[in-house]
Amino acid sequence: MSKITRREAIGTAALGVAGAALTGGTATIASAQEPVRIAAFAGNHMPKPLRFDPAKLTGLSERLITSHWENNYQGSVRGLNTIETRLAAAMNDADFPPVAYAGLKREELHRTGSVVLHEYYFGALGGNGNPGGSIYEALHSWFGSFEAWEAEFRRTALSLAGGSGWCVLSWNAHTSSLHNYWAWDHMHGAVTGAPLIALDMYEHSYHMDYGTAAARYIDAFMANLDWEVVDARYLAATA
């Protein structure tokens, strides 16, 4: 499990304030009426199962993948459901404190990003790492060669080693172009970027197998990419 960051500590404090507001004071005004149900804050997200056998990946242990999927990813799913439930309650409380609402909205963005990026991460594993398809030709076109793209992708990922964040190959719908984006804290990607490959560079994603040897983890990730999945994402994003 990863260490608690300063941002997570701030978010936890904000949730404590929000929880207090929901259990006392003016939050009880909704007791006389049935709370309005809000579809946007249904809080019913379910974890997606792995599409591959975690015991059969190359260079990524079953123990690492299982821990990552069960603890980090599913923890974010549960966290997002909790946040949405509290946002729904807050919308039924006209006197809910703005400072507490700000904490909930920050956590909503953080948890949403974590859930989405983890699903892109796990969803592209289970392949043999051999590139092909339209995405191969597109990367050659945008970066001069596939090899040049891969070198830049790896460099971007390594720039996050020892810290926290994601390296994301995205199709930017606004500029109609491919880019490797540096995404910190689950929520700093390009606004119109459609993820094609999401590489988790938080230490929890590799420390169990590789310690601080982040470059070896990146090698293993690339060796297990399913490029048919990546190509399908590219075709859908550019359709």
Side-chain angles (χ1 to χ4, degrees):
M1 295 291 291
S2 59
K3 295 181 179 178
I4 296 176
T5 66
R6 180 175 178 273
R7 192 216 58 76
E8 290 171 330
I10 294 172
T12 300
L15 290 182
V17 174
L22 290 175
T23 57
T26 58
T28 59
I29 63 172
S31 60
Q33 297 180 342
E34 181 69 21
V36 177
R37 296 187 180 276
I38 303 165
F41 301 140
N44 58 4
H45 299 279
M46 298 295 292
K48 290 187 176 181
L50 294 174
R51 58 182 293 272
F52 55 87
D53 183 345
K56 295 182 178 180
L57 296 184
T58 301
L60 297 172
S61 70
E62 179 180 10
R63 179 168 170 255
L64 171 67
I65 294 297
T66 301
S67 174
H68 192 176
W69 182 76
E70 290 182 349
N71 297 312
N72 302 99
Y73 164 56
Q74 292 196 46
S76 285
V77 174
R78 291 190 297 271
L80 180 58
N81 287 335
T82 298
I83 294 299
E84 289 189 357
T85 300
R86 295 185 178 183
L87 281 168
M91 285 191 68
N92 285 295
D93 178 7
D95 297 320
F96 194 87
V99 64
Y101 201 75
L104 289 176
K105 293 302 289 185
R106 182 169 56 248
E107 283 298 310
E108 178 193 24
L109 184 60
H110 172 77
R111 296 299 173 184
T112 298
S114 179
V115 169
V116 171
L117 287 167
H118 274 104
E119 290 178 357
Y120 274 94
Y121 173 80
F122 289 118
L125 290 176
N128 59 15
N130 294 328
S134 299
I135 185 61
Y136 181 89
E137 299 300 328
L139 290 171
H140 176 86
S141 176
W142 282 103
F143 288 85
S145 68
F146 177 85
E147 291 73 21
W149 163 78
E150 184 175 356
E152 210 271 336
F153 183 84
R154 289 171 177 269
R155 177 178 290 185
T156 303
L158 277 174
S159 72
L160 288 158
S164 57
W166 295 79
C167 177
V168 186
L169 169 63
S170 292
W171 171 256
N172 188 314
H174 184 71
T175 59
S176 297
S177 55
L178 287 167
H179 297 275
N180 295 319
Y181 287 120
W182 182 96
W184 180 74
D185 207 27
H186 306 302
M187 55 184 184
H188 289 89
V191 173
T192 59
L196 308 180
I197 299 173
L199 172 54
D200 192 344
M201 289 304 298
Y202 281 82
E203 287 191 343
H204 65 243
S205 64
Y206 61 89
H207 194 271
M208 193 180 294
D209 282 358
Y210 292 105
T212 60
R216 292 176 59 202
Y217 159 66
I218 297 171
D219 290 342
F221 174 81
M222 299 300 287
N224 288 282
L225 267 179
D226 187 332
W227 280 93
E228 289 187 5
V229 171
V230 179
D231 192 48
R233 291 173 179 174
Y234 172 68
L235 293 174
T238 57

